[in-house]
Amino acid sequence: MQPFKYSAASFFKYLSLVLGALAALIPIIVVFFASLKTNAEYASTGPLTMPENWLNFSNYTKAFVDGKMLLGFMNTIIIVLISIAGATLTGSMMAYILARFKFRGSKLLMGAFLLATLIPGVTTQVATFQIINSLDLFNTRWAPILMYLGTDIIAVYIFMQFLDSISESLDESAMLDGASYWTIYWRIILPLLSPAIVTVIIVKGVNIYNDFYTPFLYMPKSSLQVVSTALFKFKGPYGSQWEVICAAIMIAIIPTLVAFVSLQKYIYNGFAQGSVK
Amino acid sequence: MERLSNLSYKNQRLLIILLFSLVPVALLLTFSYLPVFKMFQYSFTSWDGFSKKMEYVGFDNYKTIFTRPEYFTVFKVSLYYFFATFVQMGLALYFATILSFNVRLKNWFKGILFFPTLLNGVAIGFIFLFFFKPEGTLNTLLDLVGLGAWQQKWLLNPHLINISLAFASVWRYMGMNFIIFLGAISSIGSDIYEASEIDGANRWHQFRHIIIPSIKRILQLNLILAVSGAIGVFEIPYVMTGGSNGSGTFVIQTVDVAFKYSKLGLASAMAVVLLGIVILVTILQRVLIKEEK
Amino acid sequence: MKKTKAVTSLAALTLMAGLFAGCSSNNNTDNTAATNGGNTGTGTEATAAPEGDAAKDIKGNITVITQRTDIVDTVFKDYAAKFNEKYPDVKVNFEALSSYEDQIKIRMGTSDYGDVLLLPTSVAIKDLPEFFEPLGKMSDLEQQYTGLEERTVDGISYGIPVTVNFSGVIYNKQVFKDAGITEVPRTFEQFQTALQSIKDKTDAVPLYTNYAAGWTLTQWEADLATVAGDREYVNIAQVASDDNFVPGQPHYDLYKVMYDAAKNGLIEEDPTTTDWESSKADLANGKIGTMMLGSWAIGQIKGLATNPDDVGFMPFPTNADKILVPLSDDYNLGVSIHSQNKEAARAWVDWFINESGYPTTEGGGMSPVKGAELPEILKQFEGTDVTFDTLAPAKAGEEGWVDAIDKEAEIGLWQPDFKKVIIEAAIGNRKDSYDDIMKDLNDKWKAARAKITAAQ
């Protein structure tokens, strides 16, 4: 820990951090304010005006009950858990063989994953829909799960990045003890990858949690709604009350926030340092 | 599974490569390449997307696209996002670097900067409509800090609309880049920094010679994705303006052709063209990066 | 269809090999997917539901797809309960789609699009028999319902309108009074003058376009018949003409109203950030003078007004000799050709239109059932020279041509796109003049019309 110096550089550093934080927060604070306002208040006050009653949770109860948010959370949790577990496994396996073995076609594989990421997803909807339908998965939770399971290049890259910092001598010494590659992956690589796994879980989890198009298209059945589709039900040409939508947005944010706060120390304190010694 | 170790390492290797890549590759083929393959097929037909009639029309759709320059004028909108991409990367890298060293309230700042990424796309669309309204958040703020004269109609002014939307896009995606960079930087061992400090390196040297090289791969990937993302911009302008007032992009156009005018064949051809452009730009980037080395 | 099977990735892999080989899936589920989609539905026709005791015999599960995301979990649930009093053995499930057209269209490519649904406007009229059950001969159903001609092919009807809308200008009477407008404007000129007085004498926005929402701009197209003053214009005269958008034609005059209002600063200050929800309240409470909408909105707007009598309806301005307010179908309700429970599905259709009360309450228009009462707001026009009438259907063999030409030309009569361009040009964000825009539309129309009429 260096002594804290009041210099121009550190002043600029903190100024930039504060500005960045403000820029990130203000648009959301506005939503938070709106979620605590009554309908009349929302219509008559400016966005930065604080709500009259900080304990006006009526919009929240309305959003939660009318939007059947609980059902949404249940479905979301199921989908997120299965998808993330699967994506982490497949992603780390893929990264393991790509990082540790040089074989013919590894470049090709890498390229194939990268190319897939470049395809603008919106444009292939119709074909994808036909495929899901022929697999008989339409209106089941498996449709989005399978689509999210598809290993994405981001996960592979994060794992590979991390594998680079795990010394190969670890693998080699295990091999001297007669461990199989399978054992090495399970006993050595996977545990050491934990910080990267957390990062991947966050990145993928957020994407899945916020994705509305996939569940919307593939699971229109009302008993299968997820959080983001529940959010959408408030919107539409026939009626929506923004202060309730704002409350719904806040409700949708809270679990992610909790998950993030409880996982963040794993991300921040990458404990890769210890592995080499 | 211990029986695996009875095999020679050479055979093991083969087995593990096959085993570990089986599922990912199967998924990749089913949900990425098969749809693209089908999209190629559709692009040679006049299919409307749902009826049973699918007439083969050869290269007609491609002819249509290349004889209508107005389809390509929208790419200038992508330039705004392209530029914004670099701003976004720069900010993400800057914050990730300073926050990987000692800063007060470090975790607070990290959490706050990452926070926007946690939001739902439509929520963001709404938040920013609110933000850019004439009496909205931004103008109210400008008034507060005494810059009332700078107030603008952010989405009405045709010169500002795309800048405003690109700003929303930076706001949304910066946190994700930031967290990925942070993860990568945190995997650098502290002993390396310690060694460099003994050699008298300052923060800039450390950034230049330790951080950048060790996160190069992630940086390149993010750049490639961000640039191809700029070409295929869709969600933010679609949700916020529906592509009106000069904010339309190629993907919005493609979606409109497919769904508003029921020309799935033509839209597929447009998507193929777009994919081609994205791949070209990506290859170009890789070549450029290679030359720099 | 059973859909509870967890498909492992390995199964997906073998399946994929199958797909590549070009044959349909064979993962030993009782899959009756798109492979046998060719049955024409004769013999299993969804005939009108039986009454009385016979109703008790109808059984099955049906899925009803609606666009009403706002009331699917409330009002529709009550409907289902009432429906079950009459048909106790039918279980009704709902699916609400928020961007109905886009989502349903993707599903139409498969066999899974519910049992009862709204006929998508994007499905060409002549293709309806591919997807929907015939509901009966139009000559029989006509005795009971109006508005069938819009979804009828070769004398067979495939849908019944959920409600019948009338379109025009919804305005705030108090704003008009404050602006000193004593007489409801009838001609284009009078209308612009009225807007100008609202601007000069009140604080209200004279004409609120609702540009940002987009779909709201499509409501203008419904007033085409009023501008033409002829019930035969839309489906007959329009397709017979190459000059759809030239000066003097109804389309030109119709959108000129929009352009002039925007050009003279008679619309909202910043169209790009308008908000549909608050606009309804603003019109109800005198912050907005006029909006171009369909009757479905009247109930919603009155519901937000401190004084509901301030909300008035008038026909769209026109220079025609007589004032015609067109009655047009809202969405039509139909039965999927792939439904496994066509009897139950048909029972729902009939019950929904005749007994649920939806057409006049939630639907906000007139009931398509013959002999139903005129809505309250229209009674003021009884005995005036304003007539309400449906549009004449297209000539035999020309069904759906307007739509076909429109799509081929990528004009988007019922899409917001060119209306947005008109507003952008009027407020100076684009260089094109009104005549440039109209000429461009007309060129597209002409080329597409040649193509479509030649193909028939």
Side-chain angles (χ1 to χ4, degrees):
Chain A
M1 187 84 191
Q2 292 172 298
F4 188 66
K5 291 199 294 280
Y6 287 100
S7 60
S10 83
F11 171 75
F12 178 77
K13 183 168 78 181
Y14 280 99
L15 182 74
S16 66
L17 279 171
V18 169
L19 283 178
L22 280 177
L25 280 182
I26 285 176
I28 303 169
I29 287 174
V30 168
V31 172
F32 176 63
F33 284 177
S35 71
L36 294 169
K37 290 177 180 176
T38 63
N39 193 320
E41 197 186 338
Y42 176 84
S44 60
T45 56
L48 288 168
T49 321
M50 297 198 184
E52 280 166 31
N53 176 6
W54 286 96
L55 296 173
N56 171 24
F57 290 120
S58 59
N59 294 328
Y60 283 80
T61 41
K62 193 169 179 182
F64 198 83
V65 177
D66 292 359
K68 296 197 180 150
M69 294 287 237
L70 196 63
L71 175 71
F73 279 117
M74 299 293 289
N75 284 322
T76 304
I77 288 168
I78 295 170
I79 290 169
V80 167
L81 284 181
I82 300 178
S83 312
I84 287 188
T88 308
L89 271 182
T90 55
S92 57
M93 286 175 173
M94 208 63 226
Y96 175 63
I97 58 172
L98 286 172
R100 288 294 198 252
F101 306 125
K102 291 283 163 277
F103 57 96
R104 247 179 313 171
S106 60
K107 271 241 153 50
L108 184 76
L109 262 181
M110 199 78 184
F113 277 104
L114 183 60
L115 182 62
T117 318
L118 301 179
I119 302 162
V122 186
T123 51
T124 52
Q125 273 165 27
V126 175
T128 311
F129 192 87
Q130 304 265 4
I131 292 165
I132 288 283
N133 197 63
S134 59
L135 291 169
D136 214 2
L137 294 175
F138 176 71
N139 247 339
T140 68
R141 292 190 195 91
W142 290 103
I145 288 174
L146 268 190
M147 290 166 76
Y148 296 139
L149 256 185
T151 314
D152 58 68
I153 190 80
I154 294 259
V156 175
Y157 262 78
I158 292 175
F159 286 132
M160 283 178 70
Q161 171 87 34
F162 212 84
L163 275 166
D164 285 349
S165 69
I166 300 174
S167 159
E168 294 219 26
S169 59
L170 282 173
D171 306 36
E172 282 154 14
S173 61
M175 280 159 82
L176 290 176
D177 296 343
S180 67
Y181 283 126
W182 176 263
T183 317
I184 294 172
Y185 167 78
W186 277 106
R187 296 275 165 80
I188 298 170
I189 302 289
L190 211 52
L192 285 177
L193 275 179
S194 344
I197 289 177
V198 175
T199 309
V200 169
I201 285 178
I202 296 255
V203 171
K204 269 214 96 115
V206 165
N207 280 341
I208 296 172
Y209 186 84
N210 282 337
D211 181 28
F212 87 97
Y213 209 91
T214 312
F216 223 78
L217 199 54
Y218 297 95
M219 305 192 305
K221 203 191 282 183
S222 52
S223 61
L224 289 176
Q225 70 167 31
V226 297
V227 174
S228 58
T229 48
L231 204 55
F232 260 73
K233 284 204 175 158
F234 294 100
K235 204 175 177 293
Y238 282 99
S240 62
Q241 295 157 291
W242 280 119
E243 69 281 0
V244 180
I245 294 185
C246 286
I249 292 170
M250 293 311 293
I251 292 174
I253 290 174
I254 291 161
T256 18
L257 191 62
V258 171
F260 173 66
V261 168
S262 54
L263 285 173
Q264 64 177 355
K265 68 169 193 288
Y266 295 103
I267 310 180
Y268 299 154
N269 310 329
F271 41 84
Q273 299 94 312
S275 65
V276 192
K277 292 166 187 148
Chain B
M1 271 322 213
E2 288 308 306
R3 265 171 310 140
L4 251 181
S5 47
N6 300 342
L7 294 170
S8 75
Y9 275 115
K10 196 167 166 232
N11 292 343
Q12 262 196 48
R13 217 184 95 149
L14 201 67
L15 192 68
I16 212 99
I17 288 175
L18 278 177
L19 206 66
F20 277 16
S21 60
L22 185 70
V23 173
V25 169
L27 285 168
L28 184 74
L29 290 176
T30 316
F31 294 109
S32 295
Y33 286 100
L34 189 59
V36 171
F37 175 74
K38 290 192 95 123
M39 190 172 81
F40 263 103
Q41 283 183 313
Y42 300 152
S43 75
F44 294 103
T45 68
S46 62
W47 194 37
D48 60 7
F50 48 86
S51 70
K52 310 216 169 20
K53 292 187 293 289
M54 209 191 274
E55 280 170 47
Y56 177 78
V57 293
F59 282 93
D60 275 8
N61 290 326
Y62 291 95
K63 277 186 203 131
T64 308
I65 295 170
F66 289 109
T67 50
R68 288 171 71 174
E70 69 262 31
Y71 279 151
F72 291 95
T73 50
V74 288
F75 276 119
K76 64 174 187 287
V77 174
S78 288
L79 289 176
Y80 288 95
Y81 294 92
F82 184 74
F83 179 73
T85 291
F86 288 96
V87 175
Q88 182 182 317
M89 290 286 152
L91 283 172
L93 195 55
Y94 168 76
F95 284 126
T97 308
I98 56 174
L99 286 171
S100 51
F101 296 116
N102 286 322
V103 175
R104 293 181 176 203
L105 301 174
K106 188 160 141 177
N107 285 355
W108 276 97
F109 282 123
K110 283 180 190 171
I112 289 170
L113 289 173
F114 180 67
F115 195 56
T117 310
L118 300 175
L119 297 185
N120 192 297
V122 171
I124 289 179
F126 160 62
I127 289 170
F128 277 94
L129 276 179
F130 211 75
F131 190 80
F132 290 125
K133 267 200 328 213
E135 300 83 41
T137 316
L138 183 55
N139 282 342
T140 316
L141 266 178
L142 286 172
D143 222 19
L144 269 181
V145 296
L147 295 173
W150 290 20
Q151 290 189 353
Q152 295 283 350
K153 298 212 170 39
W154 301 98
L155 296 178
L156 183 67
N157 184 330
H159 306 292
L160 287 176
I161 179 168
N162 287 316
I163 297 173
S164 306
L165 294 178
F167 172 81
S169 164
V170 169
W171 185 88
R172 180 179 186 185
Y173 295 111
M174 198 282 286
M176 193 49 91
N177 294 140
F178 163 74
I179 215 80
I180 289 173
F181 290 154
L182 199 67
I185 294 174
S186 70
S187 68
I188 302 168
S190 59
D191 43 348
I192 304 179
Y193 293 127
E194 283 160 22
S196 74
E197 270 171 24
I198 292 166
D199 295 341
N202 63 18
R203 282 278 182 264
W204 170 248
H205 291 144
Q206 287 180 334
F207 174 76
R208 184 80 190 71
H209 300 290
I210 300 171
I211 293 179
I212 293 283
S214 54
I215 62 165
K216 198 175 204 147
R217 189 183 275 169
I218 286 273
L219 203 58
Q220 279 176 12
L221 172 76
N222 271 286
L223 209 61
I224 287 175
L225 291 184
V227 170
S228 64
I231 297 170
V233 176
F234 171 67
E235 198 172 347
I236 286 204
Y238 193 74
V239 169
M240 282 183 65
T241 62
S244 56
N245 200 16
S247 63
T249 67
F250 195 79
V251 180
I252 290 183
Q253 209 167 255
T254 306
V255 171
D256 280 354
V257 169
F259 295 116
K260 281 183 180 169
Y261 308 117
S262 297
K263 294 182 178 176
L264 199 97
L266 180 60
S268 296
M270 288 165 82
V272 170
V273 170
L274 180 72
L275 188 59
I277 293 171
V278 169
I279 292 170
L280 264 177
V281 171
T282 308
I283 292 172
L284 201 69
Q285 264 180 289
R286 298 212 95 160
V287 170
L288 286 177
I289 290 169
K290 278 220 171 70
E291 277 183 1
E292 272 180 25
K293 282 177 193 167
Chain C
M1 258 192 234
K2 288 207 292 282
K3 289 192 185 283
T4 46
K5 222 172 67 81
V7 175
T8 62
S9 317
L10 209 62
L13 186 71
T14 48
L15 229 169
M16 237 190 49
L19 280 171
F20 272 129
C23 59
S24 67
S25 59
N26 53 348
N27 52 349
N28 43 31
T29 52
D30 50 345
N31 184 351
T32 49
T35 43
N36 57 352
N39 66 330
T40 46
T42 41
T44 53
E45 204 166 290
T47 43
E51 293 292 318
D53 286 343
K56 298 263 189 293
D57 301 340
I58 298 184
K59 288 186 179 57
N61 268 348
I62 55 169
T63 299
V64 176
I65 304 184
T66 168
Q67 90 288 26
R68 296 300 300 265
T69 45
D70 52 330
I71 52 172
V72 68
D73 291 329
T74 51
V75 181
F76 275 55
K77 285 276 186 293
D78 299 342
Y79 288 160
K82 290 206 188 76
F83 178 75
N84 283 143
E85 286 168 16
K86 194 170 172 182
Y87 303 98
D89 295 334
V90 180
K91 186 170 179 329
V92 187
N93 306 304
F94 296 108
E95 283 176 18
L97 307 180
S98 78
S99 43
Y100 185 79
E101 288 288 328
D102 291 359
Q103 288 176 280
I104 201 75
K105 199 183 292 188
I106 292 177
R107 285 171 66 172
M108 303 283 287
T110 70
S111 60
D112 195 334
Y113 45 95
D115 298 288
V116 178
L117 66 156
L118 305 160
L119 276 50
T121 50
S122 46
V123 174
I125 310 290
K126 62 178 187 333
D127 293 340
L128 288 175
E130 261 184 59
F131 301 101
F132 295 96
E133 272 304 296
L135 298 178
K137 286 200 180 74
M138 181 166 151
S139 49
D140 300 339
L141 289 170
E142 258 181 334
Q143 315 300 325
Q144 200 182 345
Y145 302 111
T146 53
L148 296 167
E149 59 284 333
E150 292 189 27
R151 292 287 179 269
T152 292
V153 188
D154 302 332
I156 306 287
S157 298
Y158 291 87
I160 301 169
V162 291
T163 184
V164 177
N165 280 315
F166 48 93
S167 299
V169 185
I170 300 181
Y171 70 107
N172 186 300
K173 290 177 184 167
Q174 192 56 46
V175 172
F176 271 50
K177 212 177 279 167
D178 295 345
I181 305 162
T182 47
E183 211 171 306
V184 170
R186 174 176 170 155
T187 63
F188 299 125
E189 207 174 325
Q190 288 166 353
F191 187 72
Q192 293 292 341
T193 313
L195 294 183
Q196 192 63 51
S197 348
I198 294 174
K199 187 181 178 175
D200 296 341
K201 296 178 187 155
T202 71
D203 294 334
V205 175
L207 167 68
Y208 197 83
T209 64
N210 257 315
Y211 168 104
W215 60 268
T216 39
L217 293 168
T218 65
Q219 303 284 307
W220 289 65
E221 188 63 27
D223 298 317
L224 183 64
T226 309
V227 176
D230 172 9
R231 68 184 291 261
E232 295 197 338
Y233 182 77
V234 177
N235 294 319
I236 299 172
Q238 188 179 209
V239 286
S241 161
D242 262 343
D243 297 332
N244 197 347
F245 296 90
V246 299
Q249 288 295 317
H251 259 125
Y252 185 94
D253 291 345
L254 168 67
Y255 290 105
K256 193 79 167 61
V257 175
M258 184 189 276
Y259 182 84
D260 288 345
K263 187 143 188 84
N264 300 326
L266 303 172
I267 59 166
E268 61 269 32
E269 189 189 18
D270 181 358
T272 52
T273 50
T274 55
D275 177 29
W276 158 245
E277 286 308 320
S278 46
S279 77
K280 287 188 294 189
D282 289 350
L283 178 65
N285 299 314
K287 289 183 194 160
I288 290 174
T290 63
M291 295 206 281
M292 307 297 173
L293 291 167
S295 53
W296 53 267
I298 295 172
Q300 294 183 39
I301 294 168
K302 278 186 176 230
L304 296 165
T306 31
N307 181 8
D309 290 342
D310 282 350
V311 181
F313 171 84
M314 65 173 156
F316 195 86
T318 179
N319 288 348
D321 304 334
K322 63 166 194 174
I323 301 179
L324 165 75
V325 174
L327 297 175
S328 54
D329 288 8
D330 198 298
Y331 268 118
N332 273 244
L333 204 58
V335 175
S336 162
I337 203 160
H338 301 288
S339 170
Q340 306 286 321
N341 292 298
K342 285 172 184 160
E343 267 200 331
R346 180 61 198 266
W348 174 267
V349 172
D350 286 333
W351 184 88
F352 188 77
I353 288 167
N354 289 291
E355 298 176 48
S356 71
Y358 178 91
T360 48
T361 52
E362 299 290 347
M366 293 162 50
S367 169
V369 180
K370 284 243 165 107
E373 213 187 322
L374 215 57
E376 198 60 39
I377 201 156
L378 296 187
K379 293 196 173 149
Q380 57 171 321
F381 297 110
E382 282 180 346
T384 63
D385 63 346
V386 177
T387 51
F388 289 78
D389 203 348
T390 53
L391 302 178
K395 282 188 188 151
E398 294 184 1
E399 289 96 347
W401 276 22
V402 177
D403 197 45
I405 298 171
D406 176 44
K407 288 214 170 62
E408 176 56 42
E410 290 175 32
I411 288 173
L413 293 173
W414 293 96
Q415 301 289 350
D417 305 46
F418 78 77
K419 291 85 173 170
K420 286 190 164 185
V421 170
I422 289 171
I423 292 171
E424 287 156 23
I427 59 179
N429 278 6
R430 284 171 176 271
K431 292 191 182 63
D432 354 19
S433 69
Y434 183 69
D435 284 327
D436 293 341
I437 297 169
M438 287 292 132
K439 184 179 178 315
D440 177 52
L441 291 175
N442 206 59
D443 292 346
K444 286 180 175 172
W445 176 269
K446 204 168 172 173
R449 184 174 170 268
K451 207 166 167 177
I452 296 291
T453 47
Q456 304 299 330

